[in-house]
Amino acid sequence: MGIRQFLDIGTGLPTADNTHEIAQRVAPEARIVYVDNDPLVLAHARVLLTSTPEGVTDYLDADLHDTDAILRDAARTLDFDRPVALILSGILGHLADYEEARAIVKRLVDALPSGSHLVVCDGTDTDETLNEAQEHHNEGGASMYHLRSPEQIAGFFDGLELLEPGVTPCSRWRPETSTTGVLTEAHAYSGVGRKP
Ligand SMILES: C[S@@+](CC[C@H](N)C(=O)[O-])C[C@H]1O[C@@H](n2cnc3c(N)ncnc32)[C@H](O)[C@@H]1O
């Protein structure tokens, strides 16, 4: 059986096809915990709490640095004896220190049982124009983002078995060309790793 539990940290504002909507379309019994530290996301969290009757969704107002609190409170909804998909999409770049980001990912993955999966999607430093724009943005000091190399993104999966096609530009990770049309090169990379 596939993964039925999801821990989505750095949820962002609700949009079309939120994690629980996609997961519960496939498996109505799926259980999802969303985590974000932005009061604006909290204000819109009710949109994320529209679970199927068979499943559950919960929202935690918590900071990624506080892995103990996240794991403790997520355990109200998720069974950490069964595999969990940990989703870190567009959040790790908010951590300035790469080694700190790796340590946080490791703490979270260490708490998950074998068969769990890590999903990472993050901006990369693979385009000079984007790098300059990001630098300019970061000079403003608000909501800074740190673009990393594809190798650094791959480093988050140390100790895990990478699923095919590995760590690739997001637009090339198993694209459904029927819905996305022509592929463009994304300067964000993603990967999925399985905990042995
Ligand atoms: C760029 S959005 C990503 C949204 C969505 N996951 C996606 O991939 O489209 C990043 C989110 O991470 C949240 N975030 C940033 N730093 C965080 C932290 N230290 N703890 C919890 N959430 C954080 C922000 O509030 C924001 O909602």
Side-chain angles (χ1 to χ4, degrees):
M1 190 168 91
I3 300 278
R4 296 292 182 265
Q5 308 193 96
F6 300 83
L7 179 56
D8 181 351
I9 309 179
T11 306
L13 286 169
T15 175
D17 275 348
N18 297 295
T19 299
H20 74 286
E21 291 163 327
I22 296 170
Q24 293 183 341
R25 207 178 291 147
V26 177
E29 73 278 20
R31 305 171 80 84
I32 293 92
V33 173
Y34 292 109
V35 182
D36 207 289
N37 69 349
D38 183 344
L40 206 55
V41 180
L42 175 64
H44 291 273
R46 68 182 183 286
V47 181
L48 302 168
L49 301 177
T50 54
S51 174
T52 55
E54 302 91 329
V56 184
T57 63
D58 193 13
Y59 180 86
L60 306 179
D61 179 22
D63 193 288
L64 177 62
H65 294 90
D66 198 354
T67 51
D68 287 347
I70 291 174
L71 292 165
R72 183 194 63 225
D73 293 346
R76 291 197 304 250
T77 304
L78 306 179
D79 174 358
F80 282 103
D81 290 329
R82 291 173 37 232
V84 173
L86 168 63
I87 303 172
L88 296 167
S89 174
I91 184 172
L92 293 173
H94 282 294
L95 304 177
D97 187 298
Y98 177 61
E99 289 310 325
E100 183 192 29
R102 272 173 58 115
I104 286 174
V105 173
K106 185 174 180 326
R107 283 210 297 279
L108 291 167
V109 171
D110 281 352
L112 306 180
S114 166
S116 293
H117 288 67
L118 169 68
V119 180
V120 171
C121 175
D122 227 76
T124 47
D125 60 2
T126 42
D127 179 74
E128 226 17 80
T129 310
L130 177 63
N131 294 347
E132 277 170 31
Q134 192 65 56
E135 227 169 86
H136 182 65
H137 168 87
N138 286 351
E139 279 163 15
S143 191
M144 296 208 283
Y145 211 86
H146 304 276
L147 301 173
R148 301 208 152 99
S149 67
E151 293 73 24
Q152 285 177 311
I153 305 292
F156 290 124
F157 295 95
D158 278 359
L160 304 180
E161 299 161 350
L162 270 179
L163 271 57
E164 288 297 327
V167 175
T168 69
C170 296
S171 53
R172 298 197 177 276
W173 204 93
R174 302 193 189 181
E176 292 175 10
T177 42
S178 58
T179 55
T180 53
V182 179
L183 284 180
T184 53
E185 212 53 45
H187 295 291
Y189 274 55
S190 54
V192 180
R194 181 185 182 278
K195 185 169 176 180

